Amino acid sequence: MANRRRPRHLVVVLGDQLNLDAAAFDGFDATQDLVWMAEVAEESTHVWSHQARIALFLSAMRHFRQRAEAAGYRVDYRQLEDAENRGSLAAELAAACQRLRPELLIVTEPGDYRVQEALRATAQEAGLPLEIRSDRHFLCTKAEFADHAQSRKQLRMEFFYRELRQRTSTLMEEGKPLGGQWNFDAENRSAFGKAGPGQVPPPVRFSPDAVTKDVLRLVAQRFADHPGRLSHFDWPVTPEEAEAALQDFLDNRLPRFGQYQDAMWTAEPWLYHSRLSAALNLKLLDPRRVIQQAEARLEDGVPLAAVEGFIRQILGWREYVRGIYWHFMPEYLERNALEATQPLPAFYWTGETEINCLRHALGQTLEYGYAHHIQRLMVTGLFALLLGVRPQAVHEWYLAVYLDAVEWVELPNTLGMSQYADGGVMASKPYVASGSYIHRMSNYCQGCRFKPTERTGPTACPFTTLYWDFLRRHEHRLRSNPRMTMQLKNLARIPKMEQAAVAEAAQRLREQYA
Ligand code: FAD
Ligand code: SF4
């Protein structure tokens, strides 16, 4: 490459931008332009990343390089194990700019504010113009979200979602929501009952090919001290595999997705979930196609409640959290509305705890790099919220341990929805519950030495103790929130003496997990 003449455009492709139809490629001329990619250790170490997360990104990037070269693109690619690898994106790009002297740098909008700023600074230092192009993968642009936000005192996903349904004519009939209602929550969100989930169709798995095997070896050697395991690695790393995963989900699990989307069960990590988040976030899969394909299943008799429940996650939540991220960054990252200061318990990194629900949710996370939404929100996230963990520590953990973690999607979910650290931008009230919720939605309590209904005493459920203590500690903040009235009324029914005992028990837990 060094002998070729100076490229016109250097198209920077980041590890979560693996779609050849991205705006960065518009006008690409293979005779003059060059694609630039780099695997750098910093992206795996700035948070202590799960080994499978590192492997997923590296394998998907290497497969993308193959696709791009097969399509005739010239690619300047830095591998992690290259002796002269400088370890950070900024250092690698600066060196590439010096070596190649392109006229212009082009990139699709990064998914991470930190990376965007690093690219800007690097381009400026190199004295090169940087063109950041809109990310067409998403259905709502940053500017459209800003318009939506501008006209409102309060942001709520539901209204944003309805606007997008109308704008994209998704699940609409003559200007009205299909089936006469916007959501079917009442029909969704069942538990399995004592008998459990029974036989759930297992998801399609993808055996590692030669490229992935190389990456797995590299990660095992280079990141041996990182959390998580590689032995189950079976994730889609190409668009073809992502498409097969989509079809497998639509054929086998979509019909029961809505009904059981909140249920949890031991040794059943996937249940009726799609496992598509990582493929979507790496842009191996187009959300429009996912939505259209799900909607088309109505014709095969898949219930509207299931289809709507699934589409709401992609067209609603996924687009909404991206809007929130870019609307409020960079100050969003520092928010701590509940002034939480506790460190993250060390067992989050090992899964070694006697708290059974946490042991299962954490164990599964470390094993696979995956937990479904309710495990993230109402087990691992809930415990951190109730304990009073500093939200930035919780954020760093979530960004590290999930395969699908990219900051634009992880941060609002963690800091906002789960930890209420944004003071109510994402959620209209804190998602707090006692151990009874976990008892209702799972079988975790059956194997636990604690009792979900007990708030004090030797077998008190830590969630239940901390739940009542949370309400007590934050009563003054929550009193003005009408959605908290019922929970605070229940708190008021607890005699003051018992509230004091709860406070003491909660304090002991905080000391135990500090
Ligand atoms: P399914 O349950 O099958 O849902 C279908 C799709 O909808 C997902 O693939 C995902 O693309 C989308 N989706 C569902 N819920 C959300 C949501 N709340 N926000 C955005 N998209 C959503 N999702 C990520 O992709 N990356 C993250 O780093 C991430 N961090 C999270 C942290 C916390 C604390 C919480 C509570 C949620 C987080 N989520 C994150 C959202 C959600 O938990 C995952 O998208 C989902 O569990 C992925 O599994 P799945 O593909 O089987 O999803
Ligand atoms: Fe979790 Fe409490 Fe149930 Fe034990 S009793 S599994 S700690 S909710």
Side-chain angles (χ1 to χ4, degrees):
M1 196 59 61
N3 296 330
R4 296 202 190 216
R5 68 186 159 81
R6 184 181 178 195
R8 183 184 62 152
H9 298 162
L10 193 64
V11 176
V12 174
V13 174
L14 302 169
D16 63 341
Q17 300 183 331
L18 307 180
N19 50 336
L20 277 168
D21 58 358
F25 295 107
D26 289 354
F28 190 94
D29 175 354
T31 63
Q32 312 183 64
D33 303 332
L34 195 57
V35 176
W36 181 84
M37 298 177 78
E39 302 170 358
V40 289
E42 184 188 41
E43 294 308 307
S44 310
T45 55
H46 82 99
V47 290
W48 197 37
S49 287
H50 192 294
Q51 296 184 18
R53 177 173 183 258
I54 305 172
L56 176 79
F57 274 80
L58 295 184
S59 172
M61 285 171 76
R62 291 182 183 195
H63 282 95
F64 175 85
R65 176 196 187 170
Q66 290 183 341
R67 275 200 309 288
E69 287 178 342
Y73 295 74
R74 294 191 295 138
V75 184
D76 190 73
Y77 194 100
R78 166 72 78 207
Q79 295 214 149
L80 191 77
E81 63 271 46
D82 290 347
E84 59 276 36
N85 193 312
R86 290 165 183 81
S88 82
L89 197 72
E92 275 299 324
L93 184 59
C97 288
Q98 217 172 31
R99 176 167 49 92
L100 301 162
R101 296 306 306 161
E103 291 166 24
L104 172 68
L105 294 174
I106 298 177
V107 68
T108 306
E109 288 167 332
D112 186 323
Y113 186 87
R114 172 187 60 90
V115 172
Q116 176 185 281
E117 294 311 291
L119 292 180
R120 282 210 168 111
T122 308
Q124 199 178 21
E125 275 165 37
L128 289 174
L130 170 68
E131 191 178 311
I132 300 183
R133 295 188 179 167
S134 181
D135 192 347
R136 290 196 293 249
H137 170 88
F138 295 98
L139 289 99
C140 179
T141 65
K142 292 177 188 175
E144 285 165 346
F145 189 87
D147 273 356
H148 167 87
Q150 202 182 21
S151 57
R152 271 152 229 276
K153 269 205 198 128
Q154 202 182 41
L155 294 170
R156 287 294 162 255
M157 194 289 285
E158 184 64 32
F159 301 110
F160 170 81
Y161 167 63
R162 289 179 191 182
E163 274 182 22
L164 273 190
R165 288 255 307 259
Q166 282 164 316
R167 180 149 69 72
T168 60
S169 301
T170 304
L171 297 176
M172 298 296 294
E173 200 174 40
E174 293 171 5
K176 299 219 163 59
L178 196 63
Q181 54 194 83
W182 291 102
N183 84 59
F184 295 85
D185 280 355
E187 290 168 50
N188 287 340
R189 302 180 173 171
S190 313
F192 289 117
K194 283 210 168 68
Q199 193 65 39
V200 182
V204 62
R205 307 208 150 157
F206 304 95
S207 302
D209 63 3
V211 173
T212 303
K213 280 183 185 157
D214 271 354
V215 164
L216 292 174
R217 269 192 295 273
L218 174 66
V219 174
Q221 184 198 358
R222 179 87 183 254
F223 301 100
D225 63 336
H226 278 235
R229 293 181 52 182
L230 292 167
S231 47
H232 300 292
F233 193 93
D234 62 357
W235 297 92
V237 290
T238 64
E240 294 74 24
E241 289 178 348
E243 175 66 21
L246 169 64
Q247 296 306 327
D248 169 66
F249 165 71
L250 297 172
D251 289 346
N252 299 314
R253 299 191 302 286
L254 175 65
R256 303 184 93 177
F257 171 85
Q259 189 182 357
Y260 293 122
Q261 75 189 80
D262 287 4
M264 302 174 276
W265 206 259
T266 48
E268 290 284 356
W270 325 117
L271 292 165
Y272 291 95
H273 291 272
S274 69
R275 301 197 342 147
L276 293 174
S277 50
L280 277 162
N281 296 348
L282 267 55
K283 322 276 161 65
L284 301 177
L285 208 49
D286 187 327
R288 286 167 198 78
R289 176 163 173 83
V290 177
I291 292 164
Q292 281 157 6
Q293 291 273 304
E295 190 171 1
R297 294 302 170 119
L298 289 171
E299 283 167 30
D300 303 338
V302 175
L304 177 57
V307 171
E308 190 284 318
F310 178 68
I311 287 179
R312 162 182 297 264
Q313 309 306 318
I314 312 241
L315 184 62
W317 282 112
R318 189 167 183 271
E319 296 287 330
Y320 183 69
V321 299
R322 177 174 185 260
I324 295 278
Y325 179 79
W326 287 106
H327 197 64
F328 291 102
M329 278 300 277
E331 56 88 17
Y332 195 79
L333 187 57
E334 299 309 323
R335 290 200 184 191
N336 188 356
L338 298 179
E339 298 173 56
T341 55
Q342 181 83 6
L344 187 76
F347 66 68
Y348 270 66
W349 297 103
T350 62
E352 287 163 20
T353 170
E354 60 179 346
I355 302 174
N356 202 41
C357 49
L358 278 169
R359 191 169 68 241
H360 281 280
L362 293 168
Q364 176 196 310
T365 296
L366 295 168
E367 196 79 14
Y368 301 101
Y370 177 90
H372 73 65
H373 188 67
I374 293 303
Q375 292 173 307
R376 296 187 207 197
L377 186 66
M378 298 308 286
V379 182
T380 46
L382 176 61
F383 191 76
L385 171 64
L386 296 178
L387 194 67
V389 178
R390 197 170 64 84
Q392 286 69 28
V394 187
H395 150 62
E396 283 170 16
W397 182 80
Y398 275 96
L399 190 58
V401 297
Y402 290 106
L403 276 155
D404 56 24
V406 183
E407 197 174 270
W408 66 264
V409 53
E410 177 278 327
L411 185 69
N413 270 301
T414 304
L415 202 110
M417 188 190 296
S418 163
Q419 301 300 299
Y420 202 69
D422 64 7
V425 173
M426 271 288 286
S428 57
K429 70 179 188 75
Y431 280 94
V432 283
S434 71
S436 301
Y437 173 84
I438 295 173
H439 181 49
R440 193 166 64 249
M441 297 310 298
S442 75
N443 66 340
Y444 293 146
C445 300
Q446 280 170 29
C448 188
R449 85 165 184 83
F450 303 113
K451 303 270 178 295
T453 49
E454 292 179 14
R455 50 184 169 237
T456 53
T459 51
C461 165
F463 280 83
T464 303
T465 307
L466 291 168
Y467 166 71
W468 292 110
D469 185 61
F470 178 94
L471 293 181
R472 192 193 60 74
R473 285 192 295 128
H474 295 296
E475 193 181 355
H476 61 290
R477 290 180 216 268
L478 303 175
R479 217 178 288 135
S480 58
N481 185 336
R483 299 205 59 210
M484 293 303 294
T485 307
M486 189 57 100
Q487 281 165 296
L488 292 177
K489 266 191 185 158
N490 290 337
L491 173 71
R493 288 198 188 100
I494 301 177
K496 287 288 172 215
M497 284 264 286
E498 208 187 321
Q499 285 196 29
V502 165
E504 264 178 46
Q507 184 53 27
R508 279 196 298 277
L509 286 170
R510 276 192 288 276
E511 284 162 17
Q512 183 182 347
Y513 296 123

